[in-house]
Amino acid sequence: MSRFLDELAADLKAGTYRPLPARRVLIDKRGSAGKRPLSIPGVGDRVVQGAVKIVLESVYAADFLPCSFGFRPERSVHDALQVLVDEAWRGRRWVVETDIADCFEAIPKDRLMRAVEERVCDQSMLKLLRSVLGAGVMADGMVRRSVTGTPQGGPLSPLLCNVYLHRLDRVWDVREHGVLVRYCDDAVVMCSSREQAERALAALTVILADLGLEPKAAKTRILHLHEGGEGLEFLGFEHRWVRASNPKFRHLQFLARWPTRQAMQHARDRICELTMRRRVLLPVEVVVREINRFLRGWAGFYKYGNSATHLIQIRWYALMRLARFVAKRHGRRPAFGRWVVGVASPNQLGLISLTGIVVAPRPNRPWRGTPNAGGERRR
């Protein structure tokens, strides 16, 4: 490995490094019948892109604006979602929801390089970036090179996307158009009225057109968050304006969130995959450990919301699948598996509990419980 890195460093210093075309693969889009194209660079190219990302990230950290949350150090999905809670509480409940159509593939490379050159003047770095963008992709045995796109799949692509869309953030007028919350190519605008939301959508369309981009029609709409109304799906959560269920606080309304249907189905599919019949020769302890590992990660993300009921549903599904797995492993009926898991085992075979871990969002309170998170806009 050290020899490989030394050779890579020598090529970079000598200016002889040439990236290989990335391998194009198509993966399923969660909750959609479409396919998402990914371009997977080679190992050496990933190393180089990772190093370039570290250098450029430090340059742009001071430039990126608070409305940008995606793929940035010390910023997360939950920071973006906290803004939605805060702004809805302040009365901005008309929402523009959109997604930039084929953003990674549509960014003009020449205009992207001009955006980079606004902050980077080192010619060797610019030359390296041009070679990365011009490497092309390998699909069906052929190399294709286009004049647009920073192919999604490499370590550098999200940062370059943020660099280009920073032009949108800079010209956005919060006072006139509402509060923009952008997570890479997904965006939401929180507005005070329908008229402002319509102006915001028109402005967003014009600005994106100037950048050579456009909103995805199927995912662009204006909605009003109100009790009993439709919900907003953003960053894996469904958001709805609800009234407090506690009789003491029935006068309070707030923006609640919980996992989307697609997120719930993803969890069930993964648990089902871990407990399939073809795995019955594995020890039960191994299967339980793998289920627990998945549940910790999944629940660790979705516990920051009003998700208690949904977490309980997923754990019950895991218990049911584990009971069926035990029954199959012993060649017995499902009732035997339920008896083993629910009666014979004092701790349900070690399956972790998801009860009591939910952290409900509160307006104007940092979701991490620290002064620098959530509600305050970090630079």
Side-chain angles (χ1 to χ4, degrees):
M1 177 59 73
S2 59
R3 179 181 176 183
F4 169 75
L5 294 176
D6 290 342
E7 292 175 352
L8 197 58
D11 288 341
L12 288 168
K13 290 179 180 178
T16 57
Y17 167 77
R18 295 293 181 271
L20 297 173
R23 181 169 58 90
R24 175 60 57 90
V25 296
L26 299 176
I27 63 172
D28 294 330
K29 286 186 177 181
R30 190 180 301 176
S32 171
K35 297 285 186 178
R36 185 188 305 279
L38 291 184
S39 302
I40 312 300
V43 175
D45 297 334
R46 288 201 297 271
V47 172
V48 172
Q49 288 190 33
V52 172
K53 175 178 175 288
I54 292 172
V55 174
L56 293 183
E57 221 165 36
S58 62
V59 173
Y60 287 101
D63 289 353
F64 288 155
L65 297 178
C67 62
S68 172
F69 292 89
F71 305 102
R72 294 183 57 188
E74 299 184 6
R75 308 209 102 190
S76 73
V77 166
H78 297 98
D79 290 323
L81 297 179
Q82 183 64 41
V83 178
L84 268 61
V85 173
D86 295 345
E87 298 303 331
W89 182 261
R90 294 174 185 138
R92 290 190 171 100
R93 297 202 296 274
W94 283 93
V95 182
V96 178
E97 176 188 11
T98 190
D99 181 9
I100 301 174
D102 299 322
C103 181
F104 286 88
E105 301 291 331
I107 294 176
K109 293 179 182 179
D110 56 340
R111 299 172 69 177
L112 172 59
M113 286 305 303
R114 287 200 293 271
V116 173
E117 289 168 359
E118 291 180 6
R119 290 289 279 118
V120 178
C121 59
D122 184 271
Q123 292 302 313
S124 59
M125 177 63 74
L126 295 174
K127 179 182 176 182
L128 178 58
L129 285 174
R130 290 190 185 97
S131 65
V132 169
L133 291 174
V137 296
M138 174 74 74
D140 300 326
M142 297 180 62
V143 177
R144 294 183 174 88
R145 294 182 174 89
S146 66
V147 297
T148 63
T150 167
Q152 188 174 5
L156 195 54
S157 296
L159 175 61
L160 293 178
C161 182
N162 275 334
V163 169
Y164 194 65
L165 292 180
H166 179 59
R167 295 186 166 191
L168 162 64
D169 303 339
R170 286 188 307 190
V171 300
W172 190 258
D173 189 330
V174 173
R175 185 181 299 275
E176 181 179 357
H177 299 131
V179 175
L180 173 67
V181 181
R182 184 177 64 79
Y183 196 92
C184 205
D185 58 339
D186 289 331
V188 160
V189 185
M190 307 294 289
C191 303
S192 301
S193 65
R194 183 177 188 89
E195 291 74 19
Q196 187 181 46
E198 290 173 347
R199 292 198 303 271
L201 180 55
L204 192 62
T205 303
V206 170
I207 295 170
L208 289 177
D210 289 341
L211 295 175
L213 305 171
E214 62 180 0
K216 185 178 294 184
K219 291 190 176 182
T220 300
R221 60 175 179 154
I222 295 175
L223 62 100
H224 184 216
L225 296 171
H226 63 278
E227 187 179 0
E230 60 182 330
L232 162 72
E233 290 190 1
F234 185 55
L235 300 181
F237 285 87
E238 182 176 350
H239 308 259
R240 287 183 181 270
W241 189 256
V242 301
R243 186 178 295 275
S245 57
N246 190 321
K248 293 183 179 180
F249 304 102
R250 287 291 291 171
H251 62 288
L252 292 178
Q253 299 181 34
F254 58 95
L255 186 65
R257 67 172 182 257
W258 48 79
T260 62
R261 291 190 302 272
Q262 293 88 346
M264 294 289 285
Q265 189 58 49
H266 167 68
R268 295 188 188 98
D269 291 344
R270 180 57 179 157
I271 293 169
C272 185
E273 182 181 343
L274 292 173
T275 55
M276 293 181 69
R277 181 182 291 275
R278 60 181 173 81
R279 309 185 86 225
V280 294
L281 295 181
L282 291 174
V284 175
E285 295 80 7
V286 172
V287 174
V288 171
R289 186 163 61 245
E290 292 178 347
I291 295 175
N292 284 344
R293 186 182 301 121
F294 169 75
L295 289 179
R296 286 192 188 96
W298 191 87
F301 180 80
Y302 285 106
K303 73 177 182 179
Y304 294 101
N306 310 85
S307 311
T309 300
H310 297 74
L311 266 60
I312 290 173
Q313 290 175 2
I314 292 301
R315 189 179 186 276
W316 271 108
Y317 183 81
L319 277 175
M320 182 269 291
R321 289 294 309 183
L322 185 58
R324 293 184 63 180
F325 177 83
V326 171
K328 292 174 186 175
R329 197 169 190 277
H330 290 85
R332 305 285 293 273
R333 292 181 179 275
F336 172 78
R338 292 194 293 270
W339 177 83
V340 169
V341 174
V343 180
S345 173
N347 65 346
Q348 296 178 325
L349 297 181
L351 194 70
I352 62 171
S353 172
L354 300 182
T355 303
I357 68 171
V358 169
V359 181
R362 296 288 184 269
N364 304 314
R365 294 186 186 179
W367 70 272
R368 287 191 180 95
T370 61
N372 293 325
E376 295 187 9
R377 310 295 192 265
R378 292 177 306 198
R379 296 290 303 226

